[in-house]
């Protein structure tokens, strides 16, 4: 299987579905992940006409049709606790959220694998999905590795009726282990009036929310430890950094995350990089970076943005490594590792975790792959002739055809109506 080594990946942009790229990356090869995925906001984002990003758009509406059936089996196989959470969301009838979470979960599982022992991950979301994603992240990274729920507050003019205006995003911060690298940050303060008293310069300073701090001498004007709520302005229409990409995030936000959770020379990954705010911030702070975005428009913008920002560095590498994605190679490397396992995962997803005999729901490990028409009766190995049976149904059926099992179950009045 082709794998991508860390050195191949310094300063790289991939224009591709991030799941394909993540699956090819080596274990424990990145130090920090920031991701700002679609939020399940039920809308399609378009860049305004006349901006550099014109033509860029991405869909953020979800339905069960977006779900790849094998993802469910993969989640059930790798992380039964996570599967139980997703299955609960499904059974409760939140089908759209279920599809979104399954899409996120398969990617987050890969992100955990490629994160270093001392690494951190920041998942940017909004209040609609934050609670669902918190459960998902707890199941993947472990409750004990939850570090902060960061509230990014901003002032934005919005007209909302019968409710307060929504002026914050949520960033869920987890670490891979308790040994996470963390550089403490000081809350910025705005300097106020300066006076001289007995020849010494005195400065009265204010916190970001306008609280007046004690008058201090110049050396003492530092803020306190950074809290978990951050006031950072959204990019305004006149800002120099603005490229017009829908949902572009401010560099100040990424600067803070990158400074706190990585050191110079470390590798930062953004698997939903959009117009590459993370990559630009990482480059300026002396980190290596990897950006992935499925949209070609995003890739074009990244190229323009990086060229503009780093004119003095003609050797800045940014490329799509097509060689690693030859079309004659299997697009899902996992299939090449363990085909029977992948097949079982697909069947599990197709049956939604329910036994093809009794219809009851079971964990992944309780199932056996069974031939609907037994091999002894000429049944083949093609997927259409395969199904999953629970232990009890499997021994009841033995080598007999499926009709026998269904008839016996009916006689014994065993079985659950499919939901
Ligand atoms: C909210 S935007 C990210 C904005 C980014 N933080 C910035 O500052 O520009 C989400 C991005 O995810 C991309 N995307 C959606 N699904 C993807 C996938 N499966 N793989 C890679 N990128 C994806 C979209 O094209 C979009 O650019
Ligand atoms: Zn059964």
């Amino acid at each position: 299987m082709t794998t991508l080594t860390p050195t191949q990946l310094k300063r790289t942009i991939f224009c591709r579905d991030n799941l394909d790229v993540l699956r090819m990356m080596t274990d424990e090869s990145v130090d920090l992940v920031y991701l700002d995925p679609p939020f399940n906001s039920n809308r399609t984002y378009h860049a305004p006409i006349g901006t550099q990003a014109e033509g860029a758009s991405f869909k953020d509406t979800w339905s069960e049709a977006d779900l790849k059936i094998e993802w469910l089996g993969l989640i059930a196989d790798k992380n039964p606790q996570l599967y139980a959470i997703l299955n609960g969301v499904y059974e409760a009838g939140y089908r759209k959220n279920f599809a979104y979470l399954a899409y996120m979960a398969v990617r987050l599982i890969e992100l955990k694998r490629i994160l270093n022992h001392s690494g951190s991950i920041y998942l940017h979301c909004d209040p609609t999905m934050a609670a669902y994603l918190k459960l998902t992240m707890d199941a993947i990274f472990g409750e004990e590795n939850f570090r902060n729920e960061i509230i990014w507050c901003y002032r934005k003019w919005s007209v909302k009726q019968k409710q307060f205006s929504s002026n914050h995003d949520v960033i869920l911060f987890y670490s891979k282990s308790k040994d996470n690298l963390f550089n403490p940050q000081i809350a910025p303060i705005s300097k106020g009036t300066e006076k001289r008293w007995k020849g010494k310069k005195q400065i009265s300073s204010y916190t970001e929310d306008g609280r007046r701090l004690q008058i201090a001498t110049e050396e003492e004007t530092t803020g306190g430890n950074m809290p978990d709520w951050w006031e950072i302005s959204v990019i305004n229409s006149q800002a120099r950094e603005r490229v017009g990409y829908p949902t572009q995030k401010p560099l100040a936000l990424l600067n803070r995350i990158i400074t706190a959770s990585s050191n110079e020379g470390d590798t930062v990954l953004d698997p939903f990089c959009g117009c590459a705010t993370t990559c630009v911030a990482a480059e300026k702070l002396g980190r290596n970076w990897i950006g992935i975005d499925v949209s070609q428009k995003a890739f074009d913008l990244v190229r323009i943005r990086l060229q503009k920002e780093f004119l003095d560095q003609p050797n800045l590498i940014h490329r799509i490594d097509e060689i690693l994605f030859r079309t004659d190679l299997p697009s899902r490397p996992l299939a090449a590792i363990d085909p029977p396992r992948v097949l079982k995962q697909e069947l599990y997803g197709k049956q939604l975790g329910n036994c093809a005999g009794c219809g009851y729901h079971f964990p992944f490990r309780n199932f056996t792959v069974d031939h609907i028409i037994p091999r002894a009766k000429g049944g083949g190995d093609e997927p259409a002739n395969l199904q999953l049976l629970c232990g009890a149904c499997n021994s009841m059926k033995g080598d007999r055809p499926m009709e026998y099992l269904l008839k016996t179950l009916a006689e014994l009045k065993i079985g659950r109506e499919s939901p």
Side-chain angles (χ1 to χ4, degrees), residues 17-18 36 58 103 245 247 249 272-275 277 293-294:
D17 185 329
N18 51 27
D36 173 23
F58 68 92
Y103 165 91
Y245 195 75
T247 72
K249 299 299 177 290
F272 295 89
C273 71
C275 65
T277 311
D293 201 288
V294 73

Side-chain angles (χ1 to χ4, degrees), residues 14-20 34-39 45 56-60 62 103 107 124 235 243 245-250 254 270-278 292-296 298 305:
F14 291 101
C15 178
R16 185 134 189 141
D17 185 329
N18 51 27
L19 188 56
D20 295 341
Y34 165 84
L35 66 158
D36 173 23
F39 287 177
Y45 292 90
S57 70
F58 68 92
K59 174 182 96 68
D60 192 9
W62 298 84
Y103 165 91
R107 289 163 174 82
H124 194 136
I235 298 173
V243 299
Y245 195 75
T247 72
Q248 180 182 353
K249 299 299 177 290
L254 270 305
D270 185 341
F272 295 89
C273 71
C275 65
T277 311
T278 309
I292 313 172
D293 201 288
V294 73
S295 141
Q296 178 62 42
R305 191 171 179 191

